[in-house]
Amino acid sequence: GKLGKSLKKVLKKVVAKEAHEQLAISDAKLGGVIKEKLDLSCVHSPAVAELMRCIRGQMESLITGLPPREMSAMSLGLAHSLSRYKLKFSPDKVDTMIVQAISLLDDLDKELNNYIMRCREWYGWHFPELGKVITDNLAYCKSVRKIGDRTNVAGSDLSDILPEEIEVEVKLAAEISMGTEVSEEDIGNIRHLCDQVVEISEYRAQLYDYLKNRMMAIAPNLTVMVGELVGARLISHAGSLLNLAKHPASTVQILGAEKALFRALKTRKDTPKYGLIYHASLVGQTTAKNKGKISRMLAAKAALAIRYDALGEDTNAEMGAENRAKLEARLRQLEDKGIRRISGTGKAMAKADKYQHKSEVRIYDPSGDSTIPSTSKKRKFEEVEEEDATEPTTPAVKPKKAKQELAIEEEEQAETSAATEETPKKKKKKKKDKKAEEKMEEPKEEEVVAVTETTEKKKKKKKKVKEEQEE
């Protein structure tokens, strides 16, 4: 990107002679400098790059009087100086710190889990009850380091590590413990392991603070949007902040879920909705139904924040904070919409209804004037049957039927009179229980009478129809 003295002298001679109209160059920045200083038009294209490659390949034959040994030494020196220059002035060099820090943090978490699990199992042979009483891993290791043998629990003070009630539980458990006896050498090794766990935990906390500071310095907008750890993992997965800035929002959304994506494409199933971005706080606080929507919106805004951090000149996080506020408002809107839809009440549902004109003219209903109770269809049908049955018939033509009807009517009258005679006798009884029973029985008897009446009427009607047919 700079114009050297020797190159300047050569170019001045060329400009003085005016032998060439255009100068072919391999570096575009150098061409800009030459044009600015010497006002010489330069060309940089794929054809020029191919020409330069051919010249480099045939360098030994083009330049006479150069032994191949010196040529190889020159090319090696040039390669070293170029790579050193690139490392020194690389725009991505700060990203490497974040990539290494997040990778180390993940490794430390895995190792810590292994160490703590081994410590719990190892000391569990001697004092198994302690593992159930103390759930926090770091507090467990500190307690084991301080206690040593379980017989020392009564005399040891754990108030600086554990709360008062848990300390009392530990001391009670130590008195009735079912663990085996172990030697002093075993206890020494367990204590040494606990020291390692405590040291690694402290180093992890220090590393996390360093990573947080680096992320806020390099990618402040991305940090505000998705958090330090998720942002660092995205940068690490892409390789650098500049590479991540080249990715579209759809790629940022599923970054980290490549295996699931290609499997879904191969089997023609649904593609994944989120990758590393799933662990962001905004996606975590939504309901399962809205996680896909929020992850898509968050990826779109995060892609803008990444480009602003990578290519912008400002180092403030105003843009990230503004976009996060918009996303939170959208999230609240989605949540409220779901609640309203479930309840089915409120002003929002009324707004969606169509307008219907309701006339205020009321029509008079004459049914309210009548005081006669409305009769059922069954009853009307029975009344019609009774009218048919009570029609006068000619005794000269049907003397047999008249006699039969008279006999049936006499029987009905006798039954009804018997029923009326029985009811006053029953009413005269004094006991309340019997009165209640009689009241329950009376309607039953009346129902039986009504049923017999209807059956008899039906029989009459059938006989009448038959006789008419015969006539």
Side-chain angles (χ1 to χ4, degrees):
K2 290 182 181 179
L3 192 64
K5 285 183 180 178
S6 55
L7 181 62
K8 203 171 185 178
K9 284 179 183 177
V10 171
L11 288 172
K12 275 184 178 177
K13 286 178 183 177
V14 170
V15 173
K17 288 178 181 178
E18 292 181 355
H20 303 283
E21 292 179 356
Q22 287 183 326
L23 179 70
I25 52 157
S26 62
D27 186 17
K29 286 183 180 178
L30 185 65
V33 174
I34 291 167
K35 192 173 183 182
E36 191 180 325
K37 292 279 177 75
L38 304 169
D39 197 21
L40 186 68
S41 60
C42 303
V43 181
H44 173 71
S45 64
V48 172
E50 187 67 20
L51 182 65
M52 292 286 181
R53 190 184 66 79
C54 293
I55 290 167
R56 280 199 298 274
Q58 305 296 326
M59 186 75 77
E60 290 177 14
S61 58
L62 289 169
I63 301 171
T64 53
L66 258 178
R69 201 171 165 186
E70 283 187 18
M71 276 298 299
S72 61
M74 186 192 77
S75 60
L76 186 68
L78 180 64
H80 280 177
S81 60
L82 269 174
S83 57
R84 196 179 292 116
Y85 176 83
K86 279 192 175 182
L87 276 174
K88 195 175 180 182
F89 296 101
S90 171
D92 308 337
K93 72 174 189 291
V94 196
D95 300 339
T96 55
M97 304 300 167
I98 289 170
V99 173
Q100 296 300 328
I102 193 67
S103 302
L104 180 57
L105 201 69
D106 290 340
D107 292 341
L108 282 176
D109 284 336
K110 286 178 186 174
E111 290 303 315
L112 264 175
N113 283 334
N114 288 335
Y115 275 33
I116 289 159
M117 182 185 71
R118 192 64 55 214
C119 180
R120 278 180 178 273
E121 285 189 9
W122 201 351
Y123 194 69
W125 286 101
H126 178 58
F127 189 6
E129 291 81 8
L130 188 68
K132 290 181 180 178
V133 175
I134 304 170
T135 52
D136 183 44
N137 293 324
L138 192 60
Y140 180 86
C141 290
K142 285 180 178 177
S143 302
V144 169
R145 189 173 63 173
K146 197 164 189 178
I147 292 165
D149 201 306
R150 68 164 184 259
T151 54
N152 303 330
V153 173
S156 59
D157 180 30
L158 302 170
S159 57
D160 56 336
I161 302 165
L162 304 171
E164 193 177 340
E165 59 272 9
I166 295 175
E167 188 182 354
V168 171
E169 281 184 44
V170 169
K171 287 181 178 178
L172 286 170
E175 291 174 8
I176 54 164
S177 178
M178 295 175 67
T180 57
E181 295 297 326
V182 291
S183 64
E184 283 295 323
E185 190 179 353
D186 297 331
I187 294 291
N189 277 314
I190 293 166
R191 275 180 164 164
H192 186 63
L193 178 59
C194 291
D195 289 338
Q196 292 291 319
V197 171
V198 172
E199 283 174 16
I200 291 169
S201 299
E202 287 172 0
Y203 174 58
R204 189 201 173 283
Q206 180 193 337
L207 186 69
Y208 178 68
D209 289 337
Y210 165 75
L211 179 66
K212 200 190 291 184
N213 294 334
R214 294 306 300 166
M215 279 297 293
M216 280 307 292
I218 292 158
N221 293 292
L222 179 63
T223 307
V224 169
M225 289 295 294
V226 296
E228 299 89 12
L229 291 175
V230 178
R233 284 197 179 96
L234 286 170
I235 292 169
S236 173
H237 201 83
S240 70
L241 186 64
L242 204 63
N243 286 353
L244 187 63
K246 292 172 186 174
H247 289 319
S250 57
T251 309
V252 172
Q253 185 183 347
I254 56 166
L255 211 63
E258 288 86 0
K259 195 175 179 182
L261 174 70
F262 292 123
R263 186 172 64 239
L265 291 171
K266 192 177 180 182
T267 56
R268 294 185 180 179
K269 298 280 177 63
D270 292 337
T271 51
K273 292 178 182 175
Y274 24 66
L276 290 167
I277 210 166
Y278 180 81
H279 300 288
S281 59
L282 273 170
V283 179
Q285 69 193 29
T286 56
T287 55
K289 189 181 177 183
N290 296 325
K291 277 191 196 298
K293 285 182 183 178
I294 287 294
S295 64
R296 187 174 67 247
M297 289 187 282
L298 181 62
K301 297 293 182 188
L304 290 174
I306 292 158
R307 287 163 197 167
Y308 190 82
D309 288 330
L311 309 167
E313 293 178 0
D314 298 336
T315 55
N316 56 2
E318 286 177 10
M319 181 223 182
E322 189 181 336
N323 284 336
R324 188 180 173 89
K326 284 180 186 175
L327 280 174
E328 284 171 352
R330 176 68 178 144
L331 172 62
R332 280 195 298 274
Q333 188 185 348
L334 283 171
E335 297 291 334
D336 294 345
K337 191 178 176 185
I339 291 162
R340 268 192 226 128
R341 194 179 292 134
I342 290 161
S343 65
T345 56
K347 293 176 183 176
M349 294 298 286
K351 283 175 189 172
D353 295 339
K354 289 182 179 178
Y355 174 72
Q356 290 180 348
H357 178 67
K358 294 176 182 178
S359 62
E360 293 182 357
V361 179
R362 293 180 182 179
I363 300 160
Y364 178 70
D365 185 16
S367 63
D369 293 346
S370 177
T371 55
I372 300 163
S374 59
T375 55
S376 62
K377 289 181 181 179
K378 189 176 179 183
R379 192 168 171 186
K380 284 178 181 176
F381 184 70
E382 285 174 6
E383 285 172 4
V384 170
E385 284 179 349
E386 282 174 9
E387 285 172 8
D388 293 340
T390 54
E391 280 179 358
T393 53
T394 53
V397 181
K398 302 169 190 174
K400 290 180 182 178
K401 194 187 180 229
K403 285 177 184 179
Q404 286 174 358
E405 284 180 0
L406 287 166
I408 290 160
E409 282 174 5
E410 283 173 3
E411 284 174 6
E412 287 174 7
Q413 286 174 3
E415 283 173 359
T416 51
S417 62
T420 51
E421 282 173 6
E422 284 174 7
T423 48
K425 285 178 185 177
K426 287 176 183 176
K427 283 178 183 175
K428 285 175 183 177
K429 290 181 182 179
K430 293 178 182 178
K431 290 184 180 179
K432 291 179 182 179
D433 297 338
K434 287 183 180 179
K435 281 181 183 178
E437 287 173 11
E438 285 159 14
K439 284 175 185 176
M440 293 294 287
E441 285 170 2
E442 279 167 14
K444 288 181 183 176
E445 288 170 0
E446 286 171 3
E447 285 171 9
V448 171
V449 173
V451 170
T452 52
E453 283 175 4
T454 51
T455 52
E456 283 165 6
K457 285 169 187 174
K458 285 179 183 177
K459 284 177 184 176
K460 288 174 193 175
K461 198 172 183 182
K462 283 181 183 177
K463 283 177 185 177
K464 189 181 176 183
V465 170
K466 281 181 182 178
E467 285 167 2
E468 283 173 359
Q469 285 175 358
E470 283 170 5
E471 285 172 5

